[in-house]
Amino acid sequence: DVKVTQSSRYLVKRTGEKVFLECVQDMDHENMFWYRQDPGLGLRLIYFSYDVKMKEKGDIPEGYSVSREKKERFSLILESASTNQTSMYLCASSPLTSGTARRKLFFGSGTQLSVL
Amino acid sequence: GIQVEQSPPDLILQEGANSTLRCNFSDSVNNLQWFHQNPWGQLINLFYIPSGTKQNGRLSATTVATERYSLLYISSSQTTDSGVYFCAVEKHGGRTPLVFGKGTRLSVIA
């Protein structure tokens, strides 16, 4: 089975802190994604990456950055955490297949981040 | 961008009942997936179904791509089916991530 591991289940940080959320997948997937989930807003894409050292902005990239130095690891960085970044953060990965089709997406268990 | 609408937004079922969840999308797609988020927040991939019909135990899904909708059927529901069901699509011909609907929250009561 595909395993997507997020480093923390719960995290509490102070306003202004730099926050790192780590995600590791063990299935050699090319594609990795960061979403945030908020009540009433569903899942919103922050950043994604189709290859090592590549990154693309999603729908809500402001206040976030990402790093993908190795294929299996995709890090989300909050440069200066703010209270409106309190949310559930979900990492996901999927394989790249032929053509432009993306196949099944697999999620980590999520990190509930509280910024005080 | 492509729009994804799910209905109903909330559903309460007695254990043993059957249900149908619907996902409408606004453009042609080459990728459609159904997910279940359990009460602890874990998202599980149920089906990859850009077209046709698939079954997995008590769950089945049908996508009619030409009419831009997909249905998820849950038969003989159990309390463990509770949670939020999401539909997600990728626009045909695009190299873009999945776009998620807002989900259907299902509560199965004993």
Side-chain angles (χ1 to χ4, degrees):
Chain A
D1 281 352
V2 174
K3 190 159 188 182
V4 181
T5 303
Q6 294 185 230
S7 53
S8 304
R9 184 72 178 98
Y10 298 96
L11 209 52
V12 180
K13 295 291 181 182
R14 296 284 181 190
T15 302
E17 279 192 78
K18 190 169 186 176
V19 181
F20 292 86
L21 301 183
E22 305 288 346
C23 176
V24 178
Q25 50 93 4
D26 66 357
M27 284 301 292
D28 202 36
H29 285 171
E30 288 79 9
N31 310 322
M32 296 190 75
F33 307 85
W34 275 105
Y35 292 87
R36 65 176 280 179
Q37 184 177 19
D38 302 285
L41 298 178
L43 276 77
R44 294 180 293 168
L45 182 65
I46 305 171
Y47 267 97
F48 59 104
S49 169
Y50 289 147
D51 202 350
V52 176
K53 297 192 184 295
M54 290 183 64
K55 60 183 179 183
E56 296 194 41
K57 293 180 179 179
D59 300 318
I60 52 164
E62 296 78 18
Y64 304 94
S65 62
V66 290
S67 172
R68 192 155 181 213
E69 296 297 317
K70 293 185 178 181
K71 190 175 186 179
E72 68 270 19
R73 186 180 297 271
F74 192 36
S75 303
L76 180 69
I77 304 156
L78 286 65
E79 296 290 343
S80 177
S82 63
T83 54
N84 63 12
Q85 292 178 310
T86 291
S87 186
M88 170 69 84
Y89 289 87
L90 292 157
C91 176
S93 72
S94 69
L96 174 66
T97 58
S98 60
T100 59
R102 303 287 179 264
R103 300 302 184 227
K104 292 181 76 170
L105 189 67
F106 298 89
F107 281 89
S109 55
T111 296
Q112 180 62 51
L113 173 67
S114 297
V115 182
L116 307 179
Chain B
I2 192 167
Q3 304 297 313
V4 183
E5 293 186 4
Q6 293 186 242
S7 59
D10 295 280
L11 187 59
I12 300 175
L13 294 177
Q14 199 74 35
E15 199 170 26
N18 303 327
S19 63
T20 301
L21 282 57
R22 187 176 180 103
C23 172
N24 292 333
F25 41 95
S26 61
D27 208 337
S28 59
V29 299
N30 64 0
N31 187 346
L32 186 146
Q33 299 182 34
W34 283 97
F35 297 85
H36 174 223
Q37 187 171 38
N38 65 26
W40 296 271
Q42 177 69 57
L43 274 149
I44 303 296
N45 194 302
L46 298 175
F47 293 103
Y48 166 80
I49 186 166
S51 63
T53 298
K54 288 187 178 179
Q55 181 154 6
N56 184 3
R58 296 181 294 103
L59 301 182
S60 63
T62 296
T63 297
V64 184
T66 53
E67 296 188 21
R68 300 183 183 172
Y69 72 89
S70 183
L71 302 174
L72 179 69
Y73 304 96
I74 305 174
S75 64
S76 304
S77 59
Q78 300 176 359
T79 55
T80 52
D81 295 330
S82 297
V84 183
Y85 290 82
F86 290 99
C87 168
V89 304
E90 178 188 355
K91 184 177 176 180
H92 184 75
R95 190 171 184 255
T96 57
L98 293 173
V99 175
F100 283 77
K102 294 279 175 68
T104 292
R105 181 173 297 277
L106 175 65
S107 299
V108 181
I109 54 178

